[in-house]
Amino acid sequence: MLFDTPEILKEYVMKNSDKDLRQWWAQYQEFCGEFEEAEKYYHQCKNYLSLARVYCCLERVDDADKLANETGDPAACYHMARYHETEQGFERLKLL
């Protein structure tokens, strides 16, 4: 089984261009705490919500804000609004 040999599994994912497989790999990497690796694959899949979430986990909130604003992705924008509401209150929302 490929799970027993993560190096071979990663090699398989890298050679395969299937978006669903790459999305799964990004989720798996995020679950394992490999946020930089997850970031790379979320970006390839254009999964802006997950990418914004990873940026927040990496304390790159400005990057997450920029991503949400530039892409206009509704889910990423909503995530960032909730993030700022929870983390910093409404003062930060006024500045965006």
Side-chain angles (χ1 to χ4, degrees):
M1 185 54 100
L2 289 177
F3 253 116
D4 297 331
T5 53
E7 301 83 24
I8 295 173
L9 178 59
K10 180 179 179 177
E11 192 176 310
Y12 175 77
V13 171
M14 290 175 62
K15 289 181 181 178
N16 197 312
S17 62
D18 179 25
K19 184 178 176 180
D20 291 333
L21 179 62
R22 288 176 177 257
Q23 174 67 29
W24 172 83
W25 182 252
Q27 291 170 330
Y28 176 69
Q29 291 303 304
E30 184 180 1
F31 171 77
C32 291
E34 300 293 332
F35 295 113
E36 290 84 5
E37 188 76 6
E39 173 189 350
K40 182 172 85 173
Y41 285 93
Y42 282 140
H43 194 276
Q44 291 175 6
C45 296
K46 295 182 169 76
N47 184 332
Y48 300 123
L49 167 61
S50 296
L51 196 51
R53 186 180 60 244
V54 166
Y55 283 154
C56 289
C57 288
L58 293 171
E59 298 181 4
R60 292 170 47 193
V61 177
D62 289 338
D63 289 337
D65 285 334
K66 183 178 176 184
L67 174 79
N69 287 327
E70 287 180 356
T71 64
D73 182 74
C77 290
Y78 181 76
H79 174 76
M80 293 313 299
R82 293 296 309 228
Y83 175 86
H84 289 300
E85 181 181 53
T86 303
E87 294 296 317
Q88 299 169 351
F90 288 103
E91 292 303 313
R92 172 78 176 176
L93 289 175
K94 292 177 189 175
L95 299 174
L96 298 175

